Amino acid sequence: MTTALTPDELATSDVDPFSHPVLADPLPMHAALRDAGPVVYLSRYGVYAMARYRDVHAALINWQDFQSAAGVGLSNFRYEKPWRPPSLLLEADPPQHDAPRRVLSKILGPRALHRLRDGWFAEAETLVEQVLSEAGTEFDAVAALAEAFPLRVFPDAVGISPHGREHLLPYGNHAFNAFGPDNDLVAKGAATVAENSAYVGRQCARDALTPDGFGARIWAASDRGEITPEQAPLVVRSLLTAGVDTTVHGLSAVLYAFATHPEQWQRLRAEPHLVRVAFDEAVRWESPVQTFFRTATTELTVGAGTQHPVTIPEGKKILMFLAAANRDPRRWADPDSFDLARDPSGHVGFGMGLHQCVGQHIARLESEALLTALARRVSTLELAGPVQREHNNTLRAWRSIPLRARTD
Ligand code: OVM
């Protein structure tokens, strides 16, 4: 007979996952949390954490026990007012979650993407030509490619105005910081959050959107009664919140991976079909979205049938370390290597289950277009100077990746 560990008996850590030293290099903390047990109590915040692939995966597909509607950040919507009206997708559970999700997954599905494909591949070729001719062989891959490409294609695809787009990245950056504690990173965004939010809010109105973008299609779904007219602007807001910074840091991750793994770049050039696996392997390896919280809907027992099941009280937050799961040696052979020979499918970098990233096909198309254009023109890629991270409570983000790209 085994008995569940109570909070005072279970593995406990006083690490602050949102502190600057950890954000600078989170991998040692990920390993320590995985090794401490299937569930670890984070005493700083009074929350539970999971870092092993098996447990993170199981929790993500169990939306009944691990709810999203109380918020997927540290703050619990049962007790604290959210900083903005909650997302109808991310911060909702069935049944309320389902209609907005169905609408958006159709709009961002394979047929929509097929229409965009040739145009985005041409845009990527134009951008790469422009960077190589104007900047030459040395440039900052974050500004010149990872930010420039999504900003060139995605806001147009949504159908927003060309004016004011400089608010998009700071808004997303703050939204991802806001999932963490009320620390210096959140304070840094506070000065501009009102104007950035007001900008994003204005772009969600029907008359602010071009007639055949994703935004107009969301409003058309409300005309058909698939969602209500009150829901439509919030669904547009999800695209503008979740669709920009994530792809910027995902593209940065894959460019950094190739710059530091020259043999993998040669392999990609020899086998261009590997562009698709390359992006998913980079998302596994880097996990641009590092974490999300869930909330226990009832008292939960994790690891029932194991020697030390853990009880999580009802209403407690549980931090899911997607990044730690994606490098768990219990699941992945040689998890720290970036390797195009691996099958990265099953990674939890886009989440898993009902809430799995609805924009993942868009993200893959962006990277496919950009990497294809680069692989055609660039024979060798290397770092041209020290890289700089941008610390964020949720994102594994970059400020600068100086690259040298040879075209001979
Ligand atoms: C949203 C959303 C969805 C995924 C991530 C995210 C800021 C936001 O629906 O607003 O991060």
Side-chain angles (χ1 to χ4, degrees):
M1 179 66 193
T2 57
T3 47
L5 299 175
T6 58
D8 52 301
E9 293 166 310
L10 96 106
T12 295
S13 169
D14 67 357
V15 73
D16 182 355
F18 308 102
S19 63
H20 287 281
V22 173
L23 295 175
D25 178 17
L27 298 180
M29 176 197 66
H30 292 158
L33 292 175
R34 282 191 304 258
D35 290 345
V39 178
V40 183
Y41 186 70
L42 301 182
S43 55
R44 298 263 178 139
Y45 296 109
V47 302
Y48 295 74
M50 294 184 185
R52 295 182 185 175
Y53 179 86
R54 177 185 211 298
D55 301 293
V56 170
H57 185 277
L60 289 176
I61 62 176
N62 181 358
W63 57 269
Q64 292 93 337
D65 289 342
F66 296 90
Q67 70 164 174
S68 292
V72 298
L74 175 63
S75 147
N76 193 324
F77 295 176
R78 297 177 186 190
Y79 316 117
E80 285 176 85
K81 187 175 144 60
W83 69 281
R84 60 172 196 167
S87 163
L88 302 180
L89 289 119
L90 182 73
E91 295 155 332
D93 294 303
Q96 294 85 352
H97 160 269
D98 299 335
R101 171 75 189 205
R102 257 194 309 273
V103 164
L104 206 50
S105 41
K106 216 165 118 198
I107 291 169
L108 305 180
R111 300 191 50 150
L113 293 195
H114 191 75
R115 279 198 312 272
L116 294 170
R117 189 178 176 87
D118 292 348
W120 285 17
F121 271 68
E123 288 287 350
E125 297 222 337
T126 307
L127 176 64
V128 167
E129 282 315 315
Q130 194 182 317
V131 169
L132 293 172
S133 68
E134 284 168 23
T137 54
E138 281 187 31
F139 51 85
D140 182 350
V142 175
L145 298 173
E147 290 183 354
F149 188 60
L151 287 173
R152 205 171 163 116
V153 296
F154 184 72
D156 283 348
V158 176
I160 63 172
S161 155
H163 304 289
R165 291 180 179 186
E166 67 280 3
H167 294 292
L168 289 170
L169 282 171
Y171 179 78
N173 193 261
H174 184 72
F176 281 98
N177 273 325
F179 295 123
D182 195 2
N183 61 12
D184 61 306
L185 293 168
V186 174
K188 187 174 56 121
T192 53
V193 64
E195 63 172 288
N196 293 332
S197 296
Y199 160 79
V200 166
R202 288 193 300 272
Q203 311 316 305
C204 298
R206 180 166 217 161
D207 65 3
L209 293 157
T210 59
D212 83 331
F214 300 145
R217 285 167 207 271
I218 291 167
W219 278 98
S222 83
D223 294 339
R224 297 191 298 269
E226 297 170 14
I227 52 173
T228 68
E230 291 71 35
Q231 291 178 311
L234 282 172
V235 177
V236 180
R237 193 195 67 178
S238 283
L239 287 182
L240 297 178
T241 311
V244 189
D245 300 69
T246 48
T247 51
V248 166
H249 299 297
L251 292 174
S252 296
V254 76
L255 293 170
Y256 174 76
F258 279 118
T260 53
H261 296 76
E263 77 294 347
Q264 301 291 319
W265 183 249
Q266 294 318 319
R267 179 152 189 201
L268 178 73
R269 295 197 75 218
E271 298 169 77
H273 69 273
L274 290 172
V275 281
R276 288 185 71 84
V277 81
F279 185 62
D280 274 86
E281 172 63 350
V283 171
R284 181 199 68 81
W285 189 66
E286 172 92 340
S287 300
V289 175
Q290 295 266 292
T291 49
F292 270 127
F293 287 87
R294 292 290 189 263
T295 307
T297 43
T298 60
E299 182 177 276
L300 300 176
T301 304
V302 176
T306 67
Q307 222 184 343
H308 294 292
V310 174
T311 298
I312 302 176
E314 191 261 340
K316 291 291 183 189
K317 289 276 178 173
I318 307 111
L319 183 52
M320 307 287 160
F321 280 96
L322 309 178
N326 280 340
R327 290 188 184 219
D328 184 354
R330 297 160 189 79
R331 166 64 178 79
W332 308 96
D334 201 5
D336 296 328
S337 78
F338 171 77
D339 184 359
L340 300 187
R342 170 199 309 280
D343 176 8
S345 62
H347 74 74
V348 292
F350 288 122
M352 196 51 73
L354 199 75
H355 289 283
Q356 192 181 39
C357 180
V358 73
Q360 61 184 285
H361 311 292
I362 304 264
R364 288 198 187 96
L365 182 61
E366 288 182 25
S367 84
E368 207 183 332
L370 186 62
L371 288 178
T372 300
L374 271 178
R376 278 198 195 130
R377 287 287 278 121
V378 172
S379 51
T380 67
L381 267 184
E382 62 191 8
L383 293 182
V387 297
Q388 276 180 276
R389 289 281 180 177
E390 166 80 22
H391 291 180
N392 182 285
N393 284 332
T394 303
L395 299 170
R396 187 88 176 116
W398 295 94
R399 187 173 299 155
S400 169
I401 305 175
L403 272 195
R404 185 173 305 113
R406 292 209 169 82
T407 53
D408 43 68

